[in-house]
Amino acid sequence: MTQNISTQPYKGTRDFYPEDCRVRTWMFDKLRTTLGRFGYEEYDGPMLEPFELYASKTSEEIVNEQLYWLVDRGDRKLAVRPEMTPTLARMVAARIQELPKPIRWFSIPNLWRYERPQRGRLREHWQLNVDVFGGSRPNEDLEICQLVHAIFDGFGARSGYEVRLNHRGLTNFIFSDLLKLPAEKHASVGRLLDAAPKMGDSKFLAALAEEQVTGKTAQFLVDLLKPDAAKRLEKDLKNCAAWQELTALLQRLEALGLRSHFRFDPSVMRGFMYYTGLVLEAFDLHPDNNRALFGGGRYDNLVGMFGGPALSGMGFGMGDVTLRNFLEVHQLVPNLQAANGVLVAHLSEAQELDALRLADALRSASEQRVLTTLSAEKPKKIFAMAERLRVQYVVFVGDSEVTSQTFAMKNILTGDQTLGTVAELSFKLKTKS
Ligand code: HAM
């Protein structure tokens, strides 16, 4: 007995029916427009990479728990890309001498991670990656912040999101110089600090105690997450270069009028091993969307790992799932189904070829979307089809129209009708007169 194969896609992946592709294309077009205005150029890379590319460079969680990998027929161990940054670093390292600096690149790859699917988290997602290399560091950081703001602005989002900034150097300074935490505790305490805002103070303290972090040290970490932390820390951090970098960035954001979207948040850790400087993570302020909208940071050593000179880079990744959730809850997705274009309809089989010929002539002269009915239909059915196909005009092809080469074009939104030759109708369509 044969078993029916399910019509559902693999868990954590999506089918993109035309209505989904429409939204995705709209989102990506908007992103491409904004990035183009900042001079960023699109690149792409392979979906499969050698396993080792991630083994030493990505986060432990991704490598140990989330990587999809396979062995090819030549016994090579390959990974399906879970993120784009290692591929980008490899590509930049391969041409580091000849690439004109600063390098401003972006990509929108699909990425794979074996996650527990939930709102905002899937196994396959598309991720806008934006990165800049080889400029002055503070200016690169500032440009990335400016770009983030422009992306939201491009979608019409003046509010509803927040970008949280931290600095790896600052976290290291706090852990090593201020708290004297042993090096082997840094990773686990960092993870707890990252999770702390969702835990509440008492759970956070209990989790720290399990790591043998107690007393004043534990209290310091709890206080670090309070809104006035920056003010209280000023004195302790006066010799910390990372703190100075971060405060200078916030001041410059203020000067550019962008400060209200950004805030210092010492709990932002970012799980990747490669970040060395500024780290950032953006959140949707709507309670339904509690997953990060994007995350990124500065990495100074990643390109150098391939041999050759080091080149510092800075960038972020923004997922399509959380972006779409954001745009939907804030009602920023416009009507993408507005009627446009023409339906050419013939009334009997005798005009079949005339309809196809007319459709082609209208397409090239008007440069508009022109569809045909594909079969002879009665007027009532033609109008129903026009509505379903979201066209604005219907052009009828009957015997007398073919003879006179003059056609009636009806605007189904207004009911207006125009009589004209192909050239006249095309002019009207093109100029929307
Ligand atoms: P990431 O924080 O792993 O960073 O991912 C960036 C963003 O991609 C997340 O904030 C989220 O919007 C989206 N994302 C990640 N995983 C998933 C998932 N399973 N389902 C849906 N969306 C997801 C990186 O990947 C870094 N490589 C970004 C980067 C670029 N850093 C510098 N340049």
Side-chain angles (χ1 to χ4, degrees):
M1 205 170 65
T2 54
Q3 211 187 341
N4 286 340
I5 298 171
S6 167
T7 56
Q8 293 308 302
Y10 164 59
K11 188 173 173 182
T13 68
R14 290 161 291 171
D15 290 325
F16 287 84
Y17 283 87
E19 61 270 26
D20 301 304
C21 269
R22 204 176 296 137
V23 177
R24 191 175 73 178
T25 304
W26 168 78
M27 282 193 327
F28 291 179
D29 284 353
K30 282 257 176 219
L31 295 172
R32 288 191 167 98
T33 303
T34 304
L35 286 152
R37 288 190 184 143
F38 278 75
Y40 282 68
E41 290 195 282
E42 190 159 2
Y43 69 97
D44 206 351
M47 182 112 118
L48 295 177
E49 289 277 13
F51 185 89
E52 313 83 67
L53 186 65
Y54 306 105
S56 56
K57 298 178 183 65
T58 289
S59 82
E60 274 174 29
E61 186 192 12
I62 288 186
V63 175
N64 297 335
E65 295 163 31
Q66 299 183 338
L67 210 58
Y68 282 82
W69 58 271
L70 58 101
V71 176
D72 78 1
R73 287 166 198 266
D75 252 352
R76 297 170 199 91
K77 191 170 176 184
L78 303 172
V80 183
R81 59 185 177 197
E83 58 151 339
M84 198 60 173
T85 313
T87 300
L88 168 68
R90 179 178 64 65
M91 288 171 64
V92 169
R95 297 208 181 160
I96 194 158
Q97 303 296 355
E98 66 252 45
L99 285 171
K101 320 285 179 312
I103 301 165
R104 291 184 168 101
W105 283 5
F106 80 94
S107 188
I108 315 183
N110 56 333
L111 307 176
W112 287 81
R113 296 181 190 180
Y114 192 77
E115 296 248 18
R116 190 170 57 80
Q118 53 197 288
R119 183 166 169 84
R121 279 286 174 274
L122 296 175
R123 290 186 176 168
E124 185 193 33
H125 75 283
W126 271 253
Q127 193 188 91
L128 167 70
N129 273 254
V130 181
D131 291 270
V132 55
F133 301 84
S136 107
R137 274 213 232 171
N139 289 338
E140 284 182 348
D141 294 351
L142 195 61
E143 176 167 288
I144 289 290
C145 291
Q146 214 181 10
L147 184 46
V148 161
H149 181 263
I151 286 177
F152 283 105
D153 222 37
F155 285 113
R158 310 269 179 267
S159 58
Y161 70 94
E162 178 177 75
V163 186
R164 301 177 190 164
L165 304 173
N166 194 11
H167 197 298
R168 276 279 159 94
L170 174 64
T171 309
N172 290 340
F173 184 88
I174 292 175
F175 285 2
S176 308
D177 294 65
L178 291 185
L179 298 179
K180 314 271 185 243
L181 275 180
E184 65 275 12
K185 292 257 176 257
H186 288 199
S188 55
V189 173
R191 271 193 297 275
L192 287 180
L193 200 53
D194 191 36
K198 285 187 189 150
M199 284 180 171
D201 289 359
S202 55
K203 267 198 178 160
F204 181 39
L205 278 169
L208 286 172
E210 273 180 39
E211 292 289 330
Q212 283 86 48
V213 177
T214 52
K216 274 190 177 156
T217 307
Q219 194 53 47
F220 184 98
L221 291 168
V222 169
D223 291 343
L224 192 57
L225 303 174
K226 302 289 178 249
D228 60 345
K231 230 179 167 36
R232 281 186 293 104
L233 284 171
E234 252 162 33
K235 195 161 57 66
D236 291 335
L237 298 178
K238 80 173 181 294
N239 296 324
C240 172
W243 175 246
Q244 278 150 21
E245 231 179 81
L246 197 56
T247 38
L249 176 68
L250 288 166
Q251 277 161 10
R252 297 172 87 201
L253 285 168
E254 178 89 59
L256 291 175
L258 307 177
R259 179 70 174 80
S260 61
H261 297 284
F262 296 84
R263 81 172 165 87
F264 165 56
D265 181 348
S267 76
V268 172
M269 288 293 133
R270 306 280 300 134
F272 295 93
M273 299 177 237
Y274 47 70
Y275 294 125
T276 47
L278 182 74
V279 282
L280 70 170
E281 208 149 45
F283 287 87
D284 190 336
L285 298 177
H286 194 283
D288 287 357
N289 295 336
N290 59 3
R291 292 271 162 194
L293 268 167
F294 68 79
R298 169 163 294 285
Y299 43 95
D300 287 337
N301 309 321
L302 199 55
V303 173
M305 280 184 187
F306 295 87
L311 181 67
S312 161
M314 161 72 188
F316 67 90
M318 176 186 241
D320 69 321
V321 186
T322 42
L323 177 59
R324 185 167 172 174
N325 289 346
F326 172 83
L327 296 170
E328 281 175 352
V329 298
H330 294 281
Q331 294 170 5
L332 295 169
V333 183
N335 174 14
L336 299 170
Q337 289 194 285
N340 78 88
V342 185
L343 178 66
V344 173
H346 57 290
L347 303 165
S348 79
E349 274 178 27
Q351 289 103 33
E352 215 165 64
L353 280 182
D354 297 301
L356 291 177
R357 198 174 293 122
L358 175 67
D360 242 358
L362 284 174
R363 244 173 240 132
S364 29
S366 72
E367 293 167 15
Q368 301 294 307
R369 170 178 183 255
V370 181
L371 292 77
T372 60
T373 51
L374 292 180
S375 55
E377 301 293 355
K378 300 245 178 312
K380 198 169 159 207
K381 220 162 164 201
I382 292 169
F383 284 117
M385 197 186 268
E387 215 158 283
R388 235 181 14 256
L389 295 172
R390 300 175 293 105
V391 294
Q392 189 180 353
Y393 297 95
V394 177
V395 176
F396 293 98
V397 183
D399 240 356
S400 58
E401 283 86 354
V402 172
T403 316
S404 66
Q405 283 298 300
T406 304
F407 303 90
M409 181 166 85
K410 187 163 178 128
N411 183 335
I412 58 168
L413 300 182
T414 61
D416 293 347
Q417 187 155 302
T418 316
L419 266 183
T421 60
V422 169
E424 286 161 350
L425 297 183
S426 299
F427 181 78
K428 186 172 171 68
L429 288 169
K430 208 167 178 173
T431 57
K432 311 230 183 294
S433 59

